[in-house]
Amino acid sequence: MELISESRCFDGMQGVYRHASAATGCDMTFGLFLPEEARQGPVPILWYLSGLTCTHENAMTKAGAQGWAAEQGIALVFPDTSPRGEGVADDDAYDLGQGAGFYVNATKTPWAPHFRMWDYLAEELPALIGREFALDMDRQAICGHSMGGHGALTLAMGLPGRFTSVSAFAPIANPSASDWGRKQFSAYLGEDKTTWAPHDATLMMREKGLDVPVLIDQGGSDQFLDLLRPEALSEAMVARRQEGNFRVQKGYDHSYFFISTFMEDHVAFHAEALYA
């Protein structure tokens, strides 16, 4: 593992690291914020999964999460959104290929050799950071935005018992019924829609739900509402009687201004579960 940078931040340390990934077959980069308490021993972890076009850097520099995490003594992990580099398949469109991994294991060419983001986030990266840093791997929570909100919800439901809590900002809530999903799932997984269901938060919520609390924030003036389909997830949560809170924030859009406004709430929500 290669250290790219370290910066002191709220009495902790914000680092950026690169490593060779067996899951994706290329070098992967991630950010990790360690609060001051990590000097004394392992601390709980909050994963933050980013959205379309993002790298590890977007949330790390724009979400305003480190200050709130430092107050709670929580580490923050900022993974990349896809494999990258020479020889990694890509597409001219912003919503397919590099920067648009959708947190799935692709099975179709040309994506299958590298686009294995589910394995990377479910297995490889947790194992790596658990070995290398002062982290309490028995206390993990997960959050994400847009495509990353989709990833946070589906990973939490697909890995029961892994996370103490899950939250999302404007998640792609029902990708099987949206152009932000049908296009990518067809490319990565093929036309058999039974392979899509384990990566659709609404379908998963209807089938299994979560045994941990959920917090969803959706901007009421989000320019992508028709693609996100928040109403489908909300209806599924009500039908499931899922423990959680689904909030529509009047006047907010899809941007990091929205995320940074409510990040304190999300970190506090996860801290309550992580320290329960």
Side-chain angles (χ1 to χ4, degrees), residues 2-16:
E2 175 190 358
L3 171 65
I4 296 176
S5 66
E6 281 187 333
S7 300
R8 189 160 175 80
C9 180
F10 292 99
D11 293 326
M13 190 65 67
Q14 176 63 64
V16 177

Side-chain angles (χ1 to χ4, degrees), residues 51 115 122 126 130 140 146 163 175 178 201 214 241-242 257:
F115 280 73
Q140 300 183 58
S146 194
F163 302 105
S178 166
V214 181
R241 292 169 173 78
Q242 172 66 47
F257 297 112

Side-chain angles (χ1 to χ4, degrees), residues 140-143 156 163-167 212-214 269-271 273-274:
Q140 300 183 58
I142 192 165
C143 175
F163 302 105
T164 64
S165 48
V166 56
S167 73
V212 298
V214 181
F269 163 77
H270 290 296
L274 287 165

Side-chain angles (χ1 to χ4, degrees), residues 1-2 17-21 28-30 32 47 120 123-135 137:
M1 189 175 66
E2 175 190 358
Y17 306 89
R18 181 185 296 118
H19 71 105
S21 167
M28 296 293 291
T29 303
F30 67 93
L32 174 66
W47 295 81
Y120 179 67
E123 300 174 12
E124 185 177 24
L125 187 56
L128 173 67
I129 63 175
R131 289 193 306 267
E132 298 292 335
F133 301 99
L135 299 171
M137 303 306 292

Side-chain angles (χ1 to χ4, degrees), residues 70-249:
E71 285 190 7
Q72 302 286 356
I74 294 172
L76 297 168
V77 187
F78 302 101
D80 203 346
T81 57
S82 78
R84 298 180 191 272
E86 187 177 352
V88 175
D90 201 7
D91 191 271
D92 290 338
Y94 75 94
D95 57 356
L96 186 67
Q98 295 186 36
F102 265 76
Y103 305 104
V104 303
N105 284 343
T107 58
K108 300 299 179 181
T109 53
W111 314 104
H114 298 287
F115 280 73
R116 303 191 62 79
M117 290 300 293
W118 181 278
D119 284 353
Y120 179 67
L121 286 170
E123 300 174 12
E124 185 177 24
L125 187 56
L128 173 67
I129 63 175
R131 289 193 306 267
E132 298 292 335
F133 301 99
L135 299 171
D136 184 349
M137 303 306 292
D138 291 327
R139 290 188 292 168
Q140 300 183 58
I142 192 165
C143 175
H145 170 232
S146 194
M147 180 184 72
H150 138 79
L153 288 162
T154 55
L155 279 161
M157 284 186 273
L159 301 169
R162 173 74 62 92
F163 302 105
T164 64
S165 48
V166 56
S167 73
F169 298 92
I172 300 175
N174 189 197
S176 296
S178 166
D179 287 342
W180 274 357
R182 286 179 298 211
K183 171 184 176 179
Q184 294 81 5
F185 289 175
S186 295
Y188 296 146
L189 304 174
E191 298 299 333
D192 180 359
K193 293 185 179 180
T194 63
T195 65
W196 300 7
H199 303 288
D200 186 308
T202 294
L203 300 182
M204 294 181 77
M205 181 63 68
R206 291 172 184 164
E207 178 185 350
K208 61 173 56 179
L210 284 155
D211 58 1
V212 298
V214 181
L215 172 62
I216 310 290
D217 270 321
Q218 172 62 60
S221 296
D222 194 312
Q223 58 270 47
F224 302 114
L225 279 173
D226 290 344
L227 292 166
L228 300 171
R229 291 182 51 79
E231 67 283 356
L233 179 60
S234 176
E235 291 166 3
M237 289 176 65
V238 171
R240 189 79 195 180
R241 292 169 173 78
Q242 172 66 47
E243 176 189 3
N245 194 356
F246 196 111
R247 310 189 303 189
V248 176
Q249 304 293 357

